[in-house]
Amino acid sequence: MGWWSTLSGNRRGMIWMVVAGLCVIAMHTVIRHLAHEIHPVELAFFRNLLGLPILLPFVLHHGVGLLRTTRLRLYLTRAVFHAVAMLSFYYALTITPLAMANALSFTGPLFAAGLAIGVLGEKFHRGRIAALVAGFAGTLVILHPDTDGVGLGAALVLASSAIFGSVTVATKSLSRTEPTVAIVIWLSLLLIPLTLVPALFVWNWPSWDQYLWLILLGTVGTGAQLAVTEALRVGDTAAIMPIDFFKLIWASLIGWVLFAE
């Protein structure tokens, strides 16, 4: 598309982040819908397993050479951290209102932006600082903090957000040398065994109807990964991550309409 090529890298990255946000909220909605019958750890496994077929056409088109890499150690480290963050967040979604869970997850861009400066050497001017601060301030307004302390769900979301911040920086580093599709495929391949092991301890075979929801979970989850990875490839981390705050709008609407939150 001609108009797309005229956009700067950061603007294209922002559009990809909007797409990623919509996919993420769709994924969270499916998790909330299924979590009362399927354990969140098992959901994490199926999200990775059933998202992999979506990536197969890319492998068939480019060949297995697409997966050749000299950065396997970073891929593996990223996958381990991603698995811990994913399992923590999936469980938190089952005990925390959808909007609140997503609001707390917006500390992730703060961690990612800070790490991007120190690790990747990205520029961080006043406009980007203002965007991050304003977004986080809005998050606090939504949360209306009180004196009840931080519950388990909120603590798990905050922990997963901090870990996802480091995962984001690792993804940005990989995107400098690796194709977007290869980054997502390697993550899926590594996450499948990493999430299968804990899932076996809580295993419950899904029904045929639930498999349809699980396929949707894998589809939107993989779509989110592709969109985020492409956004990080074309744009600066500190510039595009504030767009992630738009997720709060979709999460609030869905939580209100579907879950009476």
Side-chain angles (χ1 to χ4, degrees):
M1 292 177 290
W3 64 271
W4 183 257
S5 61
T6 63
L7 297 177
S8 66
N10 283 338
R11 289 186 177 181
R12 278 180 281 157
M14 290 175 183
I15 294 173
W16 279 118
M17 284 302 296
V18 171
V19 174
L22 292 171
C23 289
V24 166
I25 296 304
M27 179 176 66
H28 293 174
T29 303
V30 175
I31 293 169
R32 284 294 299 273
H33 175 67
L34 293 175
H36 65 287
E37 297 175 337
I38 302 176
H39 196 281
V41 175
E42 189 177 348
L43 289 175
F45 165 70
F46 276 112
R47 174 260 175 270
N48 296 308
L49 179 67
L50 297 179
L52 193 59
I54 300 170
L55 301 169
L56 290 180
F58 294 100
V59 177
L60 294 175
H61 177 71
H62 295 283
V64 293
L66 177 70
L67 300 179
R68 290 197 187 96
T69 182
T70 59
R71 309 187 71 183
L72 187 57
R73 182 178 296 181
L74 182 56
Y75 272 119
L76 181 58
T77 302
R78 171 176 171 260
V80 171
F81 277 86
H82 193 111
V84 173
M86 173 185 280
L87 295 175
S88 299
F89 190 78
Y90 275 34
Y91 181 72
L93 279 175
T94 67
I95 58 176
T96 310
L98 194 62
M100 181 174 289
N102 279 276
L104 281 171
S105 74
F106 293 145
T107 53
L110 300 177
F111 291 115
L115 287 170
I117 299 169
V119 177
L120 302 178
E122 291 191 358
K123 303 298 181 182
F124 206 56
H125 54 67
R126 287 179 295 178
R128 295 178 183 177
I129 295 175
L132 287 168
V133 171
F136 186 60
T139 299
L140 293 179
V141 171
I142 294 296
L143 287 175
H144 50 81
D146 50 35
T147 58
D148 293 337
V150 179
L152 176 61
L156 286 172
V157 174
L158 289 172
S160 67
S161 297
I163 298 171
F164 271 131
S166 62
V167 170
T168 298
V169 173
T171 303
K172 176 64 178 179
S173 176
L174 286 169
S175 70
R176 291 177 170 176
T177 60
E178 312 287 299
T180 295
V181 177
I183 294 173
V184 178
I185 292 175
W186 268 113
L187 181 64
S188 296
L189 289 173
L190 293 170
L191 282 177
I192 288 172
L194 287 172
T195 52
L196 173 60
V197 173
L200 291 175
F201 292 94
V202 294
W203 192 266
N204 179 35
W205 285 105
S207 66
W208 289 110
D209 290 342
Q210 289 170 340
Y211 272 116
L212 296 177
W213 285 103
L214 290 171
I215 291 171
L216 176 61
L217 177 64
T219 301
V220 294
T222 300
Q225 279 293 324
L226 287 168
V228 168
T229 304
E230 183 64 13
L232 290 168
R233 188 183 70 82
V234 300
D236 293 336
T237 309
I240 64 174
M241 289 310 292
I243 302 300
D244 203 39
F245 288 104
F246 276 107
K247 286 193 305 190
L248 186 57
I249 298 174
W250 326 132
S252 299
L253 288 173
I254 291 176
W256 173 50
V257 173
L258 298 183
F259 303 110
E261 296 175 351

